[in-house]
Amino acid sequence: MIQSLCLLLLFIAGTASAGIIASRDKQQLLLVQTVIRHGDRAATDRFATDESEKVLFRGLGEMSDDGINNAHKQGAAFRKRYVNELKFIDGRFLPSDVEFRGSPVSRVLMSAGSFGNGLFHKTPKGNDVTVPILTNKPDPVLAPQMNCLDYWDDAMDYLNLTSSADIKNTALEKMEEALWPDSCKEVPSNKADAIISELPNKAIRMPSSYNKCARLPAKQFMYDVIHLPTRWLGRSLQRNASEENSRAADKRAADEHE
């Protein structure tokens, strides 16, 4: 499944007005906007090995312990910069300072929660602060969807498909066949997401062919698959513009004839 799920953070200085102060030597930071991917997680549709399910015990698509820990470390790095050094936001967490916005998916929300725990100080009794996370479903900014029919019409032409039945899944399968690198021939193409997701996890022992494929070729494959529809969209826009120009020319010719 092709989906990009993200967390958007907005750090807003509550006392700021608008814009950057004109004097270069007195510039003032007013806004920080950060888009962050969710932390390490299991693949969304299958595991790479038989032992993977035991290590990634939360299930397919869910956060791993490494993902939780890394999100917390990232939050702590932001705390060092924006709380301790720049004193831009309050380390106790003020809703007027920071807005968390995330895709309504558990791995994203868990990442945001862990990040928030690292970003803000604990309460006087030693408990983590629970940050509110705003969600909007669907959210085209945080999780771009590939539902435009023009994408898949062009996919039929690009992949020489003869039937539009279940066009989205059929096109994705054909893309896998066409783009799967030769250096990964010992790895099933439908495990691309799984081997990439599990590569950093030292508790999972993947075959050497899986490790080799996951380090670069499989990542390049996923990148190519994700970006193919943007090329199709470009073709669709060109085709639509051409059709619009043709209609406009026909209309002008008809008007002149009258």
Side-chain angles (χ1 to χ4, degrees), residues 130-189:
T130 301
V131 298
I133 305 163
L134 305 180
T135 61
N136 178 31
K137 187 177 182 179
D139 192 326
V141 175
L142 301 180
Q145 301 297 309
M146 294 168 53
N147 295 326
C148 177
L149 293 179
D150 281 342
Y151 281 166
W152 306 112
D153 289 341
D154 285 341
M156 289 187 65
D157 296 334
Y158 184 84
L159 299 169
N160 296 318
L161 302 178
T162 57
S163 173
S164 60
D166 195 19
I167 181 62
K168 183 174 181 179
N169 290 329
T170 302
L172 292 175
E173 290 174 3
K174 288 293 184 180
M175 282 158 47
E176 288 181 356
E177 295 176 7
L179 299 175
W180 192 237
D182 292 338
S183 57
C184 293
K185 61 183 179 181
E186 297 181 26
V187 184
S189 61

Side-chain angles (χ1 to χ4, degrees), residues 9 12 22 31 63-64 72 79 130 140-141 144 153 159-160 168 172 177 183 185-186 192 209 218 220 222 238 251:
L9 301 180
I12 305 169
L31 172 68
M63 288 276 286
S64 65
H72 190 280
R79 178 177 66 194
T130 301
V141 175
D153 289 341
L159 299 169
N160 296 318
K168 183 174 181 179
L172 292 175
E177 295 176 7
S183 57
K185 61 183 179 181
E186 297 181 26
S209 59
Q220 183 63 48
M222 294 291 283
Q238 291 176 359
K251 185 177 184 304

Side-chain angles (χ1 to χ4, degrees), residues 2-257:
I2 301 177
Q3 192 177 40
S4 178
L5 304 176
C6 301
L7 166 68
L8 176 66
L9 301 180
L10 298 176
F11 297 170
I12 305 169
T15 58
S17 53
I20 296 295
I21 293 178
S23 175
R24 284 186 175 274
D25 59 345
K26 293 182 179 180
Q27 287 186 348
Q28 178 183 350
L29 179 63
L30 301 181
L31 172 68
V32 177
Q33 181 171 299
T34 306
V35 179
I36 302 172
R37 280 275 289 172
H38 56 70
D40 295 351
R41 46 83 174 173
T44 56
D45 61 349
R46 70 194 69 226
F47 294 108
T49 72
D50 293 337
E51 67 179 2
S52 301
E53 189 171 3
K54 296 179 181 179
V55 177
L56 302 169
F57 54 86
R58 293 187 179 91
L60 292 172
E62 300 299 338
M63 288 276 286
S64 65
D65 285 347
D66 286 344
I68 294 172
N69 294 334
N70 290 337
H72 190 280
K73 289 179 182 178
Q74 191 175 27
F78 271 62
R79 178 177 66 194
K80 178 181 178 182
R81 178 169 179 79
Y82 294 106
V83 175
N84 299 340
E85 296 176 358
L86 297 178
K87 302 187 186 306
F88 186 61
I89 56 175
D90 194 309
R92 299 168 298 178
F93 175 64
L94 302 179
S96 58
D97 278 357
V98 183
E99 176 181 297
F100 284 72
R101 176 179 166 190
S103 307
V105 178
S106 59
R107 60 181 176 273
V108 175
L109 302 181
M110 288 182 69
S111 297
S114 298
F115 184 98
N117 290 341
L119 177 60
F120 298 108
H121 301 311
K122 294 181 181 294
T123 67
K125 291 189 176 182
N127 296 316
D128 289 321
V129 173
T130 301
V131 298
I133 305 163
L134 305 180
T135 61
N136 178 31
K137 187 177 182 179
D139 192 326
V141 175
L142 301 180
Q145 301 297 309
M146 294 168 53
N147 295 326
C148 177
L149 293 179
D150 281 342
Y151 281 166
W152 306 112
D153 289 341
D154 285 341
M156 289 187 65
D157 296 334
Y158 184 84
L159 299 169
N160 296 318
L161 302 178
T162 57
S163 173
S164 60
D166 195 19
I167 181 62
K168 183 174 181 179
N169 290 329
T170 302
L172 292 175
E173 290 174 3
K174 288 293 184 180
M175 282 158 47
E176 288 181 356
E177 295 176 7
L179 299 175
W180 192 237
D182 292 338
S183 57
C184 293
K185 61 183 179 181
E186 297 181 26
V187 184
S189 61
N190 60 12
K191 285 192 174 182
D193 185 26
I195 63 175
I196 293 171
S197 298
E198 298 179 23
L199 179 64
N201 198 312
K202 297 179 180 179
I204 298 176
R205 294 168 295 180
M206 293 194 300
S208 59
S209 59
Y210 284 27
N211 289 325
K212 181 180 178 181
C213 178
R215 286 192 178 95
L216 180 60
K219 292 180 180 178
Q220 183 63 48
F221 163 78
M222 294 291 283
Y223 178 86
D224 290 341
V225 168
I226 290 173
H227 284 80
L228 261 181
T230 63
R231 302 176 198 172
W232 300 336
L233 178 59
R235 294 180 185 180
S236 297
L237 293 175
Q238 291 176 359
R239 183 180 64 244
N240 292 342
S242 177
E243 292 174 353
E244 182 65 28
N245 289 336
S246 178
R247 285 193 294 270
D250 290 344
K251 185 177 184 304
R252 284 196 300 268
D255 291 343
E256 292 173 358
H257 180 72

